[in-house]
Every structure is written in structure tokens, then in C-alpha cells.
Amino acid sequence: MTDQPSSTLLYPTATVIALPQLPPLALYIHIPWCVRKCPYCDFNSHQAGPDLPEAEYVDALLADLDQDLFAVQGRVLSSIFFGGGTPSLFSAEQLGRLLRGVEQRIPFASDIEITLEANPGTFEQDKFKAYRQQGINRLSIGVQSFQPAKLERLGRIHNGDEAVRAAAMARNAGFDNFNMDLMHGLPEQSLDDALGDLRQAIELGPTHLSWYQLTVEPNTVFWNQPPELPEDDILWDIQEAGQALLAQQGFAQYEVSAYAQPGRAARHNLNYWRFGDFIGIGAGAHGKLSLPDGRIVRTWKTRLPKDYLNPSKPFKAGEKALPLDELPFEFLINALRLTEGVEAELFTQRTGQPLAQLAQARRTAEQKGLLRVEPDRLAATARGQLFLNDLLQYFLT
């Protein structure tokens, strides 16, 4: 079933606004190498050679950051996220040097969250202790499945036993806060298969689970050679039963595919969904910044590692200033992914536009049962979460 918008909301077209206050600031660091490219992956990742240019890349990251420092505007960093690729291919020594360089340029919040993505196949006990000693205080472990046949089909380099050991290694290394990435809707996956993976992950004691359905994306091996995925009825059964199991085990769903123990929601991701600012450095990294001249811009960096490391080429590949007529959609496409939505006043704080701009679209979406009738919040109903694309159509110009 698809709802079609009955009316269109028009906004003035402009790119310069005055924010009542600057949003929180985060840093995303992209490390683009991995051991092997997975057939479902559409991220900017490249197979690593025998020798990674760690020192050169860290130097480039700091030089890249230097060019974005004008956007800091006196703020501290609330979170840092190392994504990839596989950031855990880098040594603790070089990541520590990078973090020290970042802190010399931008002050850290006293409770800063610093997350490193890691794959079980790259886990080494001493290495992860060293990461913790360098100030990294959260891990995100890419498990995806514990079942050998499913891991092989996904092109993963680890096995189920390594995934189990990774959780113990994380705790032994001093990480009391870690996420596990887990997929469902895998080729030939049954309901029992999916729930078995989920139960195994819960048993390992993560504080956060990213549990999401496999999708086939363009520019991937799976796009050109599509696997046979479960039928829609099975996918729906997996989703319902999995959510019930997670809730029973104390994992509250706070975003479409994110579940956390109390107080353990990912701060970096929350900042993203709440339309906060983030500087993006590294090959192919994206950023979102509120600039001193009043513009809100999306930025993206040079994609290929060889070009990013070439001193004759610029780090920045492009940027786009968001016009006012796109800001409501840009804000809501993130905020409405949160199960509890956001405070309504955050719309004005993050976009500089009056909340009244949304009035007509809000009323229509509420009447359709897609948006909660709560004057002080912007939040989708349970039905709105299921038909999020349809809900967002009401806020397009």
C-alpha cells in the first residue's frame, strides 16, 4: 500500500540562513582499505595491498582536517567515528598519532565517544588493548552472521567462532561499550536461521546491535549477480519476531535498524540523525557543516586513495549548499528515522526556519496516520515508520 501526497508544501528558495545556535560537532574519519571487498558492499572500500601507507595516510588526514578547521567555530568534538573499509587494519600507533593530532586542532568533549569499526577477522587481543589505551572507547564489530554458509555467501573473511571470540576480546581489552552489526534477509535464510544469529549475538553481551536487512545496491557484485533472497512473508516474520526478541532482552529500538541497552545509543549516529554537524575526512568521506557565512553544506572528498594521497590533487571533491526548499526534507529524512522522533523545536535550531513552515504537511501526514499528533515532537507513527518514504513525500516541494 502506498499513500500519495494530496498537497505540496512550498518554501522560499535560498541558501543562506541564520541559525539560532550551532549544532553539536562530530568527526568522521574514513579508512578505505579492506582485506577483501564483500559482494554486497557499496561503500568506498578498496582491497589492501601487502603494505598499507599508514603514516602517509594519517599525514593526509591531518592536512585534510586543517582545511576544514574554519567550520569548527569554537565547538568541541562530541564524537569521532572511524569507518571504512576496515579501520582495524591500521595500527594502534598510527591511529593514536591521528587522535593526538586531531585533539591538538579541536578540543575533545570530556565524555567524547570514539568508535572504531572492526571485523572479527582482524581481531588481535594485544592490538585491541592498544586501541583502548590510545583513547578509542567504543567498537563496532562487523559480524553479519555466525553461520558458515551465510558468511561464505556474504564473502566475509571470518568464521562464526572468530565472531564469538571477538566479543570476548573486546571486553578483555577494556571495551565495556561495543556494537555488533548483524544482517537478516540473507540468501536462503529461514526465520530460525535469523533468530539463531540474533540470539547468539545477544548472548555475547553487546551494548548495541545494528540489525538490518540485506539490500542489493547498485555497483556491487550482488547487483550484477543477484542472490536468491527470502520471500516478503518470511522477511516480515523475521522482522516482527526479531524486534520482539530484542525488546524482551532489553534492547530498545531507537532508530529503524538500531537497538541499544539503556544509555548506550550511539552518540555519533544520534548526532547524524538529529541533523548535527560532522566534518568528514579521508578518501570519499562526506560531511555536513553549518558555515560562518550562514550556509549549510554537504561536502565530499576525493574518492580514490591514490588521488587522496597525491599532494598535487585537492582533498575536497565537491560541496553543495542546501537551498531552503530542501532543508525540511533533509532534516526529516534523518529525524523521522528515530522511533521517538525529535523535539519539534529542533527543526528551527538546525535549519533556521520557523516550525510553521511544516504546518500544512504535518496536518496532512497526521490525518493519514503517518505522523504522531504531538505538537511538541516530530515523530512517525508505527505505520509511518513502515512507510517512511511515503511520509517524507509530504515534505517535498
Side-chain angles (χ1 to χ4, degrees), residues 33 283 302-311 313:
W33 292 282
T302 298
R303 189 173 185 275
L304 295 178
K306 66 180 180 63
D307 293 335
Y308 186 82
L309 289 169
N310 186 338
K313 296 189 176 183

Side-chain angles (χ1 to χ4, degrees), residues 273-336:
W273 291 316
R274 289 171 61 84
F275 213 52
D277 278 358
F278 57 98
I279 296 172
I281 60 173
H286 286 242
K288 177 257 172 181
L289 301 169
S290 305
L291 300 184
D293 63 10
R295 294 179 301 150
I296 296 177
V297 301
R298 298 281 189 190
T299 65
W300 56 96
K301 301 299 174 65
T302 298
R303 189 173 185 275
L304 295 178
K306 66 180 180 63
D307 293 335
Y308 186 82
L309 289 169
N310 186 338
S312 68
K313 296 189 176 183
F315 294 120
K316 184 182 288 185
E319 70 174 40
K320 176 190 176 183
L322 299 178
L324 289 188
D325 59 358
E326 293 182 14
L327 279 175
F329 184 82
E330 287 277 343
F331 176 87
L332 290 166
I333 197 173
N334 293 295
L336 293 180

